[in-house]
Amino acid sequence: MYKHVNPHVTSHVIECDTAQGCLDVPRIPPEGITTEQVLLQQDSLLREFPDNSQDMVVSNLWLHWVNDLPGLFKEVNRVLSPDGVFIGSMFSTDTIYQLRVSLQQAELERTGGISPHISPFVTAQDLGSLLHAAKFCMITLDSDLVTTGYPDMYYIMEDLKGMGENSCLGSGAPFLRRDVLTAASAIYNSLYAEPDGTLPLSFNVLYFIGWKESATQGVPKPRGSQTMSIADLDQMMENLRNPPPPTS
C-alpha cells in the first residue's frame, strides 16, 4: 500500500491487524511518513482509538475475518474525523463458489449432510446497507470478478492455505474425510473444467467508499438536475484535451 501513499498529504500511518504475524511483515514507508502498529482484538476492534481521530481508514480484503461487521463499521465511523473517508475492498458472494459447490455435493453424497467449510461472504446489497446503517454517506460501490486457473482441486486448496485464507468458521466439521475430498475433486472436474483441463476459481471483489457526514461536505445535486449526459463524457474529455476553434 505504501507505494500509493503520498508523503505530501500523509504524515502518519497506523497499521492494524488481528494477527501479529501480519504486522511483523517488513514494510518500508516513503521518506517523511511515520508509522506505528496496533494489534486489534476481535471483541474490541478500534475501541482504543479516540473519537474523530483519523482522516482515513483503509481495509484491503480483510473484513471477511471480522465477526461483528456492523459493529466494526460503526466504530470506523466513530474514529473518523468529520468528512473522513472509509475505503476498502472485501470478498463478495460467488467467491470460490466452484470449490464450495464441489465440497457441498461431495459431502452430501458421502455423509448425508453438509458442514460449512468456507467462510461466508456479503452481497453488494448487504455492504451498502451496512455502510448506510453505520451513518456513512455518499457511498460508492464497485465490483470486479477475477478468475484464475489451476491444474486440480488440491492445488487450489494448497494455494488458499498459502494465502492464509483457511476457513475461519468456529463451527462445523473440523476436517474433511479423504473420500469426500476425492469425490469433490471429481465433481469439480466434471462441473467446471475448461477444455484444456484447467480448473477455474473465481474471486468476486467488492470495492467501496463511504464518507463521514460533515456540515461542510458537498451535497449531491437533486436527481434529474443534470445538464449533460454521461454518454457524452468521452466527447467532453476530448474537447478539454483539444478545444474546438472559436466560432466567429
Side-chain angles (χ1 to χ4, degrees):
M1 186 191 77
Y2 280 125
K3 66 181 179 180
H4 301 294
V5 177
N6 188 338
H8 297 292
V9 296
T10 303
S11 60
H12 187 66
V13 174
I14 304 175
E15 302 172 1
C16 302
D17 207 296
T18 53
Q20 185 63 51
C22 293
L23 293 175
D24 291 339
V25 176
R27 301 174 181 87
I28 302 177
E31 185 177 352
I33 293 180
T34 59
T35 66
E36 65 177 290
Q37 294 183 338
V38 175
L39 181 64
L40 301 177
Q41 303 300 319
Q42 274 285 3
D43 57 351
S44 60
L45 294 174
L46 301 184
R47 291 180 188 169
E48 51 269 88
F49 293 95
D51 296 358
N52 307 313
S53 60
Q54 309 298 319
D55 296 322
M56 177 188 294
V57 174
V58 179
S59 175
N60 181 38
L61 300 179
W62 174 79
L63 292 171
H64 60 288
W65 289 98
V66 176
N67 290 328
D68 181 13
L69 206 54
L72 175 63
F73 280 17
K74 292 177 181 177
E75 284 295 292
V76 172
N77 189 276
R78 177 186 64 80
V79 304
L80 281 173
S81 57
D83 205 26
V85 63
F86 182 25
I87 302 176
S89 62
M90 63 186 304
F91 292 119
S92 176
T93 50
D94 292 339
T95 292
I96 60 174
Y97 73 89
Q98 300 96 333
L99 180 61
R100 184 196 304 270
V101 170
S102 300
L103 289 174
Q104 287 178 343
Q105 289 195 15
E107 195 167 32
L108 185 61
E109 290 176 1
R110 293 300 186 276
T111 68
I114 296 175
S115 294
H117 297 286
I118 295 176
S119 305
F121 303 113
V122 301
T123 66
Q125 292 80 5
D126 292 335
L127 180 57
S129 298
L130 288 170
L131 290 167
H132 182 75
K135 299 183 178 179
F136 286 97
C137 60
M138 294 195 294
I139 298 168
T140 304
L141 300 178
D142 197 2
S143 64
D144 194 13
L145 182 63
V146 180
T147 302
T148 57
Y150 291 87
D152 60 46
M153 190 192 75
Y154 301 104
Y155 273 92
I156 291 174
M157 300 182 75
E158 183 178 357
D159 204 21
L160 291 174
K161 183 178 180 180
M163 293 164 59
E165 291 298 343
N166 301 56
S167 175
C168 61
L169 297 173
S171 60
F175 61 89
L176 283 165
R177 289 175 8 191
R178 183 173 298 179
D179 63 325
V180 172
L181 285 173
T182 302
S185 179
I187 292 171
Y188 204 133
N189 281 274
S190 174
L191 293 178
Y192 303 111
E194 300 286 354
D196 61 358
T198 59
L199 299 181
L201 187 69
S202 300
F203 297 88
N204 195 8
V205 183
L206 286 176
Y207 305 94
F208 63 88
I209 301 175
W211 297 81
K212 185 171 181 176
E213 291 182 345
S214 169
T216 61
Q217 200 168 60
V219 178
K221 294 291 185 180
R223 183 181 296 273
S225 62
Q226 72 276 5
T227 58
M228 299 291 293
S229 171
I230 196 170
D232 300 325
L233 184 60
D234 288 342
Q235 185 59 50
M236 292 167 58
M237 298 302 297
E238 180 63 27
N239 291 342
L240 289 174
R241 289 190 292 266
N242 300 295
T247 57
S248 56

